[in-house]
Amino acid sequence: MRAEPQDFSRVLSSMCTEPHPAAREAAETFLATNPGDPGTYQTVAELEGDAVDALGEIAGLDEPHGYIASGGTEANIQAVRAARDLAATDAPNVVAPESAHFSFRKAAGILGVELRTAPVDSDYRARVDAMTELADEDTALVVGVAGSTEYGRVDPLAALSDVADDAGALFHVDAAWGGFVLPFTDEEWHFDHVGVDTLTIDPHKMGRAAIPAGGLLARSPDVLDALAVDTPYLESTEQATLTGTRSGAGVASTVAALEALWPAGYREQYVRAQNNAEWLADALDERGYDVVEPTLPLVAADVPRSLFARLREEGWRISRTGAGELRVVCMPHVTREMLESFVADIDALARTPSTVE
Amino acid sequence: MRAEPQDFSRVLSSMCTEPHPAAREAAETFLATNPGDPGTYQTVAELEGDAVDALGEIAGLDEPHGYIASGGTEANIQAVRAARDLAATDAPNVVAPESAHFSFRKAAGILGVELRTAPVDSDYRARVDAMTELADEDTALVVGVAGSTEYGRVDPLAALSDVADDAGALFHVDAAWGGFVLPFTDEEWHFDHVGVDTLTIDPHKMGRAAIPAGGLLARSPDVLDALAVDTPYLESTEQATLTGTRSGAGVASTVAALEALWPAGYREQYVRAQNNAEWLADALDERGYDVVEPTLPLVAADVPRSLFARLREEGWRISRTGAGELRVVCMPHVTREMLESFVADIDALARTPSTVE
């Protein structure tokens, strides 16, 4: 097998990263375990309880209910599913900002709920007035984003929580990517700050656990109960996850990463990433490109399409926002040297004529 | 971290197993990759194509469409989802035998389709007359099982394919567990045998890949198209999976396991497992327990509830069928020595009085 492991030296597009060494080791140790069958795989099932408790500590919840999902998409789908099944309506809808992750569109299609998306303001944050207008008595869930995929923005979550309350809906916060950097900012984002009912926080993104490790947390056990199905021929009796068999690697590496990095290691990682993002934003601004200021470690800038294409030809793994801007996620594997090299390539390419377009 | 890796020496209940050494190595190499973002993680995305092609070869499909899912539950949910969205009805239903895996109940709840379950015959196989009676013009999918979870039975798939045809429905075969043993039997189960539209076949069960590695295969690209959602801010444009970020470990270890074991290694593994199952069935029968004869490497037997409980106290990881029978899955890690030790414990416990019940 021609197995070349992933080279992260030019990856600027991913919201995943290299796992922490302790997380990698734990993942390898627990590779052949299945927390989806806790009666058989008891050790990893206990570890999952530890992982949920630790995520609860980060997200301001003393007695968290939840589990380690395959990722943020599953966690978001499950939040919509629970809200749908707990809502007292035959035509449930979900109100979310248009900046919400595409997994909410996927969830709506799968679950047969109407997704209503509200425009964002000039700083790419949910417009509370627009969200309010969309919410009604059939709204099962209001979604706020804490670290948006495109611009790393945090919605006005306290106000959105009120929108949910007024509509009699549950309030979900998607902190899939932001959850491991927000604790070191002044943002109000978690269960102890605002009236959050469910929250997505992914260890395999900024948390440096191994894929697949997403996190779904809920304030009330009712949410997990709404998701549970009976499980004959397993010694456990219920299963609240979307998938059946699951990876023990994700669970064990979550526990290991949290033990190694919470809180000091994550704080240090955040400071370095945020400094890198600000350095890159300044460098692009100095070169005349329109930059979206990074409030979290994610930079967007309006570079010409031809330059973008040539940077990809140089091997840079970069992606675009919906509006077509260059988007760079300053994950832990993204060093200052990488960014310097990236900017040097931009300078070199900008000097040579393009044959594209 | 108190990391005790899983001990498989007394695990008789699981449909997962220890990965093949080559599969473990590949999983570790590709731990930090995400085939859900193929524009960034190109190598593992190419490997996924190889994996699907290899699964197609096993399942009798020259040009397979599909992907490596998180497991059989996801693959089954996705088959129901595609059928629902391709069906020309507002009230779609799914017709399955009551022996179908509980993931179909989960799928029905999530997707808002009606699940109609037909009784099985005295040998635990779908009754064609009952399936025919349940199917109608609103049937989106007919399900047949190729290696049932409880008894390892293979439904009369050719006849069920006709039921699907007559109803204008798609036909799905769940070979999640059976797919890597059925090639060495006389059963007709795959795309080249009968009119299968979609099929679940899990590398992380009998295929000896690392969790999470399920497989969804489809004869027509329409199925994958029905599942696809747009993906902004990824360089790829569509995503047909249920989850977003996915494990490259599952993909890479699937390729490695298939390279190492298909077909000779899997044949040898099947023969050993089937012999073990027949040995255990004989041993239990000799001791006076009612045994369900193993047509595939899975044994069920009616042992007293108190004996079952005491075997679990001895550390045996065993599970029960819905009818309460002891259920032993002869996975590759289950050796003759393990089974001899298990039967010796049954003998010892049967000689000593029980304090339970």
Side-chain angles (χ1 to χ4, degrees), chain A residues 2 13-14 24 28 32 39-41 50 70 84 106 109-110 150 233 235 239 241 243 312 317 320, chain B residues 2 13-14 24 28 39-41 50 70 84 106 109-110 150 233 235 239 241 243 312 317 320:
Chain A
R2 46 175 175 74
S13 52
S14 187
R24 171 177 279 278
E28 293 177 356
T40 298
Y41 299 92
D50 298 345
S70 57
R84 178 195 70 174
K106 198 188 266 194
I110 290 168
E150 291 197 299
Y233 37 78
E235 283 308 292
Q239 188 175 85
T241 57
T243 63
R312 275 197 69 92
R317 306 265 68 84
R320 269 181 284 248
Chain B
R2 48 177 173 72
S13 52
S14 186
R24 170 177 279 279
E28 292 177 356
T40 298
Y41 299 92
D50 297 346
S70 58
R84 178 196 70 174
K106 197 188 269 194
I110 289 169
E150 291 197 297
Y233 36 78
E235 283 310 291
Q239 188 174 84
T241 56
T243 63
R312 275 197 68 93
R317 305 265 67 86
R320 268 181 286 247

Side-chain angles (χ1 to χ4, degrees), chain B residues 89-334:
Chain B
T89 168
D90 290 335
N93 68 67
V94 170
V95 175
E98 61 185 19
S99 55
H101 186 258
F102 65 82
S103 52
F104 290 100
R105 266 192 292 114
K106 197 188 269 194
I110 289 169
L111 297 163
V113 306
E114 181 193 355
L115 179 64
R116 300 177 176 178
T117 54
V120 293
D121 65 18
S122 60
D123 193 34
Y124 310 99
R125 301 166 79 229
R127 269 179 49 193
V128 177
D129 60 341
M131 297 280 286
T132 304
E133 205 167 304
L134 291 177
D136 60 22
E137 69 272 18
D138 290 325
T139 300
L141 189 72
V142 172
V143 174
V145 185
S148 60
T149 312
E150 291 197 297
Y151 301 107
R153 288 302 192 258
V154 181
D155 288 332
L157 299 173
L160 294 186
S161 156
D162 291 341
V163 173
D165 268 358
D166 291 347
L170 294 179
F171 182 48
H172 177 71
V173 168
D174 184 357
W177 177 73
F180 285 86
V181 292
L182 288 163
F184 314 107
T185 69
D186 296 330
E187 300 283 354
E188 302 222 306
W189 65 283
H190 70 35
F191 288 95
D192 200 36
H193 298 144
V194 291
V196 180
D197 293 296
T198 53
L199 183 140
T200 296
I201 175 170
D202 284 0
H204 71 200
K205 291 194 170 82
M206 276 289 183
R208 298 197 64 193
I211 298 166
L216 174 67
L217 296 178
R219 190 185 295 271
S220 162
D222 297 349
V223 170
L224 275 289
D225 290 347
L227 297 173
V229 298
D230 293 341
T231 56
Y233 36 78
L234 295 182
E235 283 310 291
S236 53
T237 57
E238 286 190 332
Q239 188 174 84
T241 56
L242 188 60
T243 63
T245 296
R246 288 187 290 143
S247 164
V251 168
S253 74
T254 295
V255 174
L258 286 162
E259 284 187 1
L261 295 172
W262 173 256
Y266 289 126
R267 180 188 299 276
E268 190 184 324
Q269 171 179 292
Y270 158 73
V271 170
R272 197 165 61 86
Q274 186 63 27
N275 286 341
N276 281 339
E278 286 166 12
W279 180 88
L280 177 64
D282 288 346
L284 293 171
D285 180 64
E286 283 165 16
R287 283 156 181 80
Y289 303 116
D290 280 344
V291 173
V292 179
E293 277 305 313
T295 56
L296 293 180
L298 197 164
V299 181
D302 198 10
V303 306
R305 188 163 282 267
S306 58
L307 175 59
F308 183 93
R310 293 165 80 201
L311 285 163
R312 275 197 68 93
E313 279 166 22
E314 293 293 320
W316 291 104
R317 305 265 67 86
I318 47 181
S319 66
R320 268 181 286 247
T321 65
E325 296 141 325
L326 164 73
R327 173 178 162 273
V328 170
V329 192
C330 291
M331 295 300 292
H333 68 266
V334 175

